[in-house]
Amino acid sequence: MSQTFLLSSVALAALAATALPAWRRLELSRAKHPSLTGHSRMAKRVAAQLPGYSYDDQRFFDSDGAPGDVVARRRAGFEALSHLLRTRHALSIAATREARPALSDLQFTSSYRVPFQYSPHVREHLPVGAFVRAASGVTMQDLDGQDFYDLTGSYGVNLLGVDFYKECIAEGSRLAEPLGPVLGAYHPCVLENVQRLRAISGLDEVSFHMSGTEAVMQAVRLARYHTRRSHLVRFSGAYHGWWEDVQPGVGNPLPPHETYTLREMDERSLQVLRKRKDIACVLVNPLQALHPNAGAPGDSSLVDSSRRAGFDRVAYTEWLQALRRVCSERGIVLILDEIFVGFRLAPGGAQEYFGVQADMVTYGKTLGGGLPVGVVCGRAALMKRYREERPADICFARGTFNAHPYVMGAMNVFLKRMETPQVRALYDDLDERWNARARDLNDRLALAGVPVHVANLSSIWTVLYTSPARYNWLLQYYLRAQGLALSWVGSGRLIFSLNYSDADFEQVAQRFVAAARAMHQDGWWWHDAALTNKAIKRGILREMLAQRFGL
Ligand SMILES: Cc1ncc(COP(=O)(O)O)c(C=O)c1O
């Protein structure tokens, strides 16, 4: 009897030992987003199989099966657009052509502006000048003297207008000049910067780095060091720089083994955090509130009209607060990556805006006053890079250019100006102002009868398309023809600086509608009743399989 009991106890224990890890794995896979953004390894495998091919001159215009008369309209529109852009921006385009063979980044960005099937034809006929010679107010000027309204926002750095940053840099340089580029020792303004950053972040300590990517690396490294746990949790689609561990999918030749990518705004992810013992930190990019679980909406992946976005402040606030609770219960370090949204949503950043206190916060971009920077703020216990009781067990992180006097000078001016009544006034009714502008543009687009509308998180916007279409990515060129400058991700992200006046915005809105109207008239949004986003995707898949297997 007792032998049987013993045997069954052993069997039960063995079962538990195998069943529990299996159950945890199941929980983990249930917390992954079903799309490829949630399955990094699968995404990499798919990407590795994707064949490169491009459309010929005919297919370029009728890839959605458009009839002859529509194709003729498209051709005429395309030729006119090509002629306009090539003649109006001839010098900028010539400089870009000259630089391209030797400038790797330029080769990459100019190839990935539009879906790859269309890219060679677009590069040849709709070249984009990558050079600008001057900027002021909310506009910039290319080598041909042509002005553009700046909707690029310099990757988010430009929050307060380019002139503001010119002043930060000039004034900051004057401040740093007596010392010059002496590194290692600190310029006295560092003391003020640290104090201000402590007040803004509500955290004890600060470390300075050279880029946002480095700040995130350091925050995660410290979280691992202090928790003695291996894994970092990030959420589907979120960008945290180009360091290996935060980019487990496409784009990274060496996928990390210590990163979990989970669904954002989902109870299943909280469940994983509650149960697993190997999680050091959770990294959140609040920009994802605009498009939870989706990657940065670039036009190179705009193969149909299924791009979705929409910001729900209440729901995202609840999500961050739930995350906060679970992280506190489980001793997991909550890192808010405010490199993009910090200072854009509120003077106290996303923490203030969403009412959540993180254990560590990363800042960058605009904080450098126009110069490159990354910053980590954190609780004292997490920021310490050594252990008194184990002097050789250190968490090393130093960089030659950290706390560079000129960067610290520009940051000093930025932080001081952030406290002035003029800058504070920009935050009064900030969301109301930008939401009203987005509504206004949407009303105009609806009135014009074009299948386009915008969604926004305050001054960060994205363009959405309301009827199935294969050519939405072309809108970026029609917008360019209207004097609106977008970054290389095209209509996926428009970033406004807060110095846009109502009159400036009126100009942008008029030009935006004119661009959409022109594209509509040129027939690019024609579609037959049978076309759906699903059908487009299916068609592309068939095309790829045929290419892949040489059918
Ligand atoms: C949220 C977030 N984290 C990190 C980074 C990386 O910053 P950097 O480009 O300065 O390395 C970015 C850059 O866009 C970002 O948006």
Side-chain angles (χ1 to χ4, degrees):
M1 174 73 182
S2 67
Q3 212 173 20
T4 323
F5 177 73
L6 194 68
L7 276 176
S8 55
S9 305
V10 169
L12 267 177
L15 190 68
T18 49
L20 197 64
W23 178 249
R24 291 275 175 271
R25 268 203 302 280
L26 184 68
E27 269 182 341
L28 190 61
S29 60
R30 275 165 35 84
K32 289 184 178 175
H33 196 260
S35 71
L36 281 180
T37 57
H39 291 78
S40 320
R41 276 162 214 272
M42 177 75 81
K44 269 185 76 72
R45 251 176 258 137
V46 171
Q49 294 302 319
L50 205 96
Y53 64 98
S54 58
Y55 294 148
D56 64 15
D57 181 65
Q58 181 61 25
R59 185 90 175 122
F60 183 90
F61 292 95
D62 70 2
S63 59
D64 53 356
D69 60 322
V70 174
V71 169
R73 252 162 67 210
R74 287 177 179 176
R75 275 187 188 281
F78 190 83
E79 271 159 32
L81 189 61
S82 169
H83 180 73
L84 173 82
L85 293 175
R86 287 205 284 184
T87 49
R88 203 174 67 182
H89 307 288
L91 293 175
S92 310
I93 290 168
T96 307
R97 283 230 156 98
E98 191 185 332
R100 196 174 187 273
L103 202 49
S104 325
D105 201 40
L106 185 56
Q107 288 169 33
F108 178 78
T109 52
S110 61
S111 297
Y112 284 86
R113 282 179 187 276
V114 306
F116 67 87
Q117 297 92 337
Y118 303 94
S119 186
H121 201 76
V122 166
R123 273 208 308 277
E124 189 181 341
H125 298 281
L126 297 176
V128 171
F131 289 85
V132 284
R133 69 175 182 203
S136 65
V138 291
T139 61
M140 51 192 185
Q141 198 174 70
D142 72 3
L143 307 190
D144 303 81
Q146 296 291 331
D147 287 321
F148 290 93
Y149 281 91
D150 182 3
L151 309 185
T152 74
S154 292
Y155 296 121
V157 170
N158 186 358
L159 172 65
L160 297 163
V162 68
D163 301 306
F164 179 94
Y165 297 94
K166 285 181 185 176
E167 287 165 18
C168 288
I169 291 171
E171 213 177 297
S173 299
R174 283 196 293 278
L175 190 67
E177 197 157 318
L179 179 62
V182 172
L183 302 166
Y186 296 119
H187 186 280
C189 75
V190 169
L191 205 54
E192 286 179 346
N193 293 351
V194 166
Q195 278 153 4
R196 282 187 162 80
L197 285 166
R198 289 181 60 203
I200 289 166
S201 64
L203 292 162
D204 310 317
E205 292 186 19
V206 178
S207 70
F208 295 109
H209 307 271
M210 290 165 286
S211 69
T213 299
E214 275 192 64
V216 171
M217 280 168 69
Q218 171 64 350
V220 172
R221 176 183 268 209
L222 282 167
R224 284 175 166 154
Y225 175 67
H226 287 290
T227 58
R228 297 176 198 267
R229 299 177 194 161
S230 54
H231 278 67
L232 104 85
V233 164
R234 67 183 275 276
F235 294 107
S236 293
Y239 185 68
H240 296 283
W242 62 279
W243 165 53
E244 310 285 359
D245 284 28
V246 292
Q247 201 189 53
V250 177
N252 179 354
L254 198 65
H257 294 286
E258 281 93 18
T259 299
Y260 295 132
T261 297
L262 305 184
R263 300 181 199 229
E264 188 147 26
M265 300 183 81
D266 198 295
E267 173 57 34
R268 282 166 284 200
S269 299
L270 297 180
Q271 195 59 10
V272 168
L273 298 180
R274 279 190 202 105
K275 295 288 170 57
R276 293 195 76 93
K277 296 196 175 85
D278 55 353
I279 298 172
C281 58
V282 176
L283 193 52
V284 185
N285 176 358
L287 171 63
Q288 293 299 110
L290 180 57
H291 40 69
N293 293 303
D299 282 2
S300 71
S301 56
L302 194 58
V303 296
D304 61 6
S305 300
S306 54
R307 182 188 279 167
R308 296 280 172 272
F311 172 49
D312 182 339
R313 183 170 179 177
V314 173
Y316 202 75
T317 300
E318 283 168 6
W319 163 246
L320 288 185
Q321 287 169 351
L323 260 184
R324 174 66 280 176
R325 278 193 299 276
V326 176
C327 287
S328 299
E329 281 160 26
R330 302 287 301 158
I332 296 169
V333 179
L334 178 62
I335 307 172
L336 214 55
D337 180 356
E338 296 208 27
I339 286 162
F340 199 113
V341 299
F343 305 99
R344 193 168 273 277
L345 302 178
Q351 291 196 111
E352 177 187 333
Y353 187 79
F354 291 110
V356 66
Q357 176 68 58
D359 300 309
M360 290 176 132
V361 182
T362 52
Y363 300 105
K365 296 202 191 258
T366 195
L367 174 60
L371 293 180
V373 83
V375 165
V376 182
C377 295
R379 291 197 284 108
L382 291 170
M383 297 292 280
K384 196 164 179 175
R385 299 180 193 175
Y386 55 93
R387 301 185 209 283
E388 313 275 359
E389 72 286 6
R390 295 274 184 281
D393 182 7
I394 54 175
C395 180
F396 188 81
R398 313 244 30 232
T400 305
F401 289 107
N402 293 358
H404 190 291
Y406 285 78
V407 177
M408 290 296 110
M411 181 188 290
N412 191 261
V413 181
F414 173 86
L415 286 169
K416 283 183 174 159
R417 288 192 178 201
M418 280 296 290
E419 292 170 3
T420 60
Q422 298 94 298
V423 173
R424 286 293 160 144
L426 290 170
Y427 290 92
D428 293 340
D429 306 323
L430 182 69
D431 278 6
E432 287 76 3
R433 185 160 65 252
W434 288 99
N435 292 346
R437 285 173 175 173
R439 264 198 313 275
D440 172 52
L441 181 56
N442 281 335
D443 289 346
R444 294 181 200 217
L445 291 165
L447 203 67
V450 290
V452 181
H453 77 127
V454 295
N456 71 304
L457 165 60
S458 201
S459 52
I460 307 164
W461 293 25
T462 185
V463 181
L464 306 176
Y465 300 89
T466 55
S467 66
R470 288 206 63 175
Y471 293 96
N472 297 319
W473 46 266
L474 247 180
L475 182 62
Q476 60 171 291
Y477 296 92
Y478 281 87
L479 291 169
R480 205 168 170 78
Q482 289 291 330
L484 303 179
L486 307 181
S487 70
W488 71 278
V489 297
S491 68
R493 182 150 296 153
L494 319 182
I495 305 168
F496 290 93
S497 46
L498 303 190
N499 62 327
Y500 260 89
S501 67
D502 287 342
D504 296 326
F505 186 77
E506 176 62 29
Q507 276 297 316
V508 170
Q510 282 180 18
R511 289 162 185 240
F512 198 106
V513 175
R517 258 189 217 281
M519 179 158 158
H520 196 39
Q521 274 155 14
D522 288 344
W524 299 104
W525 281 311
W526 169 92
H527 68 93
D528 70 13
L531 196 72
T532 60
N533 290 324
K534 235 188 201 154
I536 293 175
K537 284 207 182 87
R538 234 181 282 130
I540 295 174
L541 184 64
R542 266 199 304 273
E543 215 171 75
M544 285 176 175
L545 289 174
Q547 287 289 336
R548 181 74 181 80
F549 299 106
L551 303 176

